Amino acid sequence: MRGILVEEVVKVYAEASDQTLSITSLRKGDEFELGKVSRKKKEVWVEVTLDSGQTGFISGETKIFVIKKVQFFADNIEAHEAPTNESAVIKTYPKKTIVTAVGYESDEAKGWVKIIDAEGQTGYVRGEAKIRVYQEASVANGKKQMFSGGMFAVLAAAFYIFSLNKGETTSNMSILIVAVFAFGLMQIVQGFLEYNKAKKKENQPK
């Protein structure tokens, strides 16, 4: 998981203590990999790996923005040149566009999300814009969906057989059983599609 520094400057220490050697400093906008979080003498420290490969620790109180992919779920999302309403609109995005959120800034109590699109264009969109975190396809999540879907389908089938043996099947119960089975089947299909998508991405040459 990658993060970006929001503060102006912060020291990176060799160990999880400000009494140890400061090996370098990070400045606002610097990116790094976030590692494990540890607690030492009631202080929280976060392990970071710099782009150079060097590892160190920063205070848990450091202001960090976690870089993530997001998706617009409304049309005509405007990206501004700067985090103000007065700045020029440099691009308008359609619904379902996927971008990378790399920061958050405020102007007169209004929040702005800093984004970078697939073409490398940087801009700012209003914090109240319709944005949600984009969940990338993964093999693990695909398997999880298929497993849970299979469980629902098996449960529905078992309940149906049990009801037949007891002679207690009613129209309402039948509708419920069909609904549970259909939900399970839908989960299996969605999981299978996500699994295949993730596997294809893994097999693509880098």
Side-chain angles (χ1 to χ4, degrees):
M1 182 168 56
R2 288 186 69 80
I4 188 167
L5 186 66
V6 177
E7 296 183 17
E8 291 299 326
V9 62
V10 67
K11 291 182 178 180
V12 180
Y13 294 93
E15 301 291 340
S17 170
D18 57 8
Q19 301 301 311
T20 59
L21 179 68
S22 172
I23 55 177
T24 188
S25 293
L26 293 171
R27 299 190 179 279
K28 186 176 182 179
D30 286 347
E31 295 183 19
F32 43 86
E33 289 290 333
L34 294 168
K36 63 182 180 180
V37 178
S38 58
R39 183 180 292 274
K40 189 175 182 181
K41 294 182 179 179
K42 297 183 179 181
E43 293 183 341
V44 177
W45 292 88
V46 180
E47 184 180 27
V48 296
T49 302
L50 310 183
D51 288 341
S52 63
Q54 190 175 28
T55 60
F57 294 84
I58 60 175
S59 169
E61 297 180 357
T62 305
K63 294 180 181 179
I64 299 169
F65 184 89
V66 177
I67 298 172
K68 59 181 76 71
K69 285 190 176 182
V70 297
Q71 186 176 40
F72 301 134
F73 59 102
D75 277 318
N76 302 318
I77 301 293
E78 295 180 338
H80 288 250
E81 188 176 31
T84 64
N85 285 323
E86 292 73 26
S87 63
V89 175
I90 56 177
K91 201 168 184 178
T92 301
Y93 295 96
K95 187 177 181 179
K96 294 186 178 180
T97 300
I98 299 170
V99 298
T100 303
V102 296
Y104 187 86
E105 297 190 27
S106 60
D107 172 58
E108 297 178 355
K110 293 182 179 179
W112 293 82
V113 179
K114 185 178 181 181
I115 63 163
I116 300 176
D117 65 19
E119 298 174 352
Q121 176 71 61
T122 300
Y124 296 85
V125 298
R126 294 184 181 88
E128 65 267 22
K130 293 184 177 180
I131 304 172
R132 61 186 169 200
V133 176
Y134 176 70
Q135 183 67 47
E136 292 191 87
S138 68
V139 170
N141 197 49
K143 287 181 178 180
K144 184 178 179 181
Q145 284 197 66
M146 286 191 287
F147 177 78
S148 61
M151 291 296 292
F152 274 106
V154 169
L155 181 64
F159 193 66
Y160 178 69
I161 294 171
F162 177 79
S163 299
L164 284 179
N165 290 336
K166 290 290 185 179
E168 297 176 353
T169 304
T170 64
S171 59
N172 288 338
M173 188 178 294
S174 297
I175 292 172
L176 178 61
I177 291 172
V178 170
V180 172
F181 183 81
F183 177 76
L185 188 61
M186 181 181 68
Q187 288 281 297
I188 293 172
V189 172
Q190 288 180 342
F192 179 74
L193 292 174
E194 181 168 347
Y195 177 85
N196 274 353
K197 184 178 179 181
K199 290 297 288 184
K200 286 180 181 179
K201 188 175 181 180
E202 283 183 357
N203 294 330
Q204 285 178 351
K206 297 182 180 179

